[in-house]
Amino acid sequence: MNSYIELNKISKSFSLNKKVNVIKKLDYKFKLGKIYSLMGPSGSGKSTLLNILSLIDEPTSGQLRIHENIVKFQDKESNDLFRARNIGIIYQQNNLLNDFTALENVYLANMASGENKSQSILNAKRILQSVGLSNRINHFPSELSGGEIQRVAIARALINEPKIILADEPTGSLDINTAKEIFKLLSEQKTKDRIIIFATHNRYFANKSDCILEMVNGNIKTINARN
Ligand code: ADP
Ligand code: MG
């Protein structure tokens, strides 16, 4: 059994004016070596689920296990370190720190996992080169195109060789050709001991995943599991 992430009756509600149950007693197991797409209309809970998986948001009830360990959401410090070392996160927008160059954005993520500065810089240069950005390393986010920003975001997500990559509509703000390039780069990051989960509205990209998950009524419906 290589189910690395296990959701056990996970629920998440928000109460502003009235209580909204976004995720309802969700059970699911994510396996290493697979790429999952997460679909569902806006407001169906895709980001909520990804925020729980990234240990940013605490579920209202239920258990999350990663690598057999039950996540204790109150242990913020150790969860922050676990996230830095094991989870790469890519958002649709605002991925980068605007006052830092591409190189700094990437190497700081490496230092956050405990690597020393000079090694982090070397690692960041190598990984930025691998995503095709060696001639943009000293550019600030405002000097980069949308596609280049997402490449930096992918480099930053990869720098600590994470077991888990979570991407929340990573191509949602890009034109279709750039979106295809970024999706290709993301899917190339699949390895046998990594899980990639990406939220998307694009059925063409979703169909290229190993497993399409659709959020329906606070739960996951598996549409297509290749195995
Ligand atoms: P999706 O990513 O599928 O578009 P979200 O997970 O962002 O959906 O949102 C699911 C529902 O939860 C929405 O109705 C949204 O308004 C609500 N929601 C999300 N985050 C919060 C929050 N911090 N406070 C209150 N409601 C929230
Ligand atoms: Mg969302």
Side-chain angles (χ1 to χ4, degrees):
M1 274 301 290
N2 57 352
S3 64
Y4 187 72
I5 304 177
E6 264 192 65
L7 300 164
N8 201 333
K9 300 215 170 358
I10 290 277
S11 296
K12 178 72 180 176
S13 353
F14 294 106
S15 12
L16 290 175
N17 300 325
K18 69 180 185 89
K19 193 172 167 204
V20 191
N21 301 314
V22 179
I23 296 176
K24 300 174 197 166
K25 296 200 174 159
L26 176 57
D27 289 319
Y28 199 77
K29 293 177 182 171
F30 292 94
K31 292 183 176 176
L32 292 172
K34 291 195 183 294
I35 177 161
Y36 296 84
S37 55
L38 189 56
M39 297 200 78
S42 292
S44 59
K46 302 180 297 295
S47 297
T48 301
L49 178 59
L50 292 174
N51 289 341
I52 291 171
L53 293 172
S54 60
L55 316 185
I56 290 170
D57 272 357
E58 181 170 0
T60 311
S61 59
Q63 241 176 32
L64 171 62
R65 280 174 195 262
I66 301 182
H67 198 192
E68 313 269 292
N69 297 309
I70 297 173
V71 173
K72 296 190 189 72
F73 279 87
Q74 64 277 17
D75 289 352
K76 297 221 180 297
E77 255 177 57
S78 60
N79 291 342
D80 287 348
L81 188 59
F82 182 85
R83 183 185 316 106
R85 290 187 171 158
N86 300 288
I87 309 179
I89 305 176
I90 303 153
Y91 296 102
Q92 180 174 353
Q93 278 173 324
N94 302 324
N95 275 297
L96 305 180
L97 301 167
N98 286 321
D99 296 335
F100 294 87
T101 63
L103 180 65
E104 289 166 341
N105 266 281
V106 177
Y107 91 69
L108 288 171
N110 202 194
M111 285 184 74
S113 80
E115 188 56 87
N116 71 53
K117 184 172 172 179
S118 53
Q119 187 61 47
S120 293
I121 291 174
L122 287 176
N123 294 342
K125 283 183 176 164
R126 179 178 43 78
I127 204 133
L128 280 162
Q129 183 176 21
S130 78
V131 300
L133 283 185
S134 28
N135 56 354
R136 292 284 186 281
I137 63 173
N138 294 319
H139 287 230
F140 287 91
S142 61
E143 300 165 337
L144 297 169
S145 70
E148 287 167 344
I149 287 176
Q150 292 310 70
R151 283 177 190 273
V152 179
I154 291 174
R156 190 185 56 180
L158 288 172
I159 186 95
N160 299 325
E161 298 178 4
K163 288 284 221 191
I164 302 168
I165 294 181
L166 304 174
D168 197 349
E169 302 193 35
T171 64
S173 304
L174 305 174
D175 64 80
I176 187 63
N177 287 328
T178 311
K180 281 184 180 164
E181 284 169 23
I182 294 301
F183 179 74
K184 180 165 177 283
L185 181 62
L186 177 67
S187 38
E188 283 167 0
Q189 307 314 320
K190 177 169 134 170
T191 68
K192 68 176 178 13
D193 55 2
R194 174 175 286 160
I195 294 171
I196 301 179
I197 308 170
F198 67 98
T200 187
H201 288 289
N202 187 314
R203 177 116 355 228
Y204 172 80
F205 294 150
N207 282 336
K208 293 185 177 289
S209 67
D210 295 310
C211 192
I212 303 177
L213 311 176
E214 185 154 1
M215 298 290 300
V216 180
N217 287 329
N219 236 290
I220 280 178
K221 192 172 110 191
T222 311
I223 299 180
N224 149 2
R226 278 194 219 157
N227 41 63

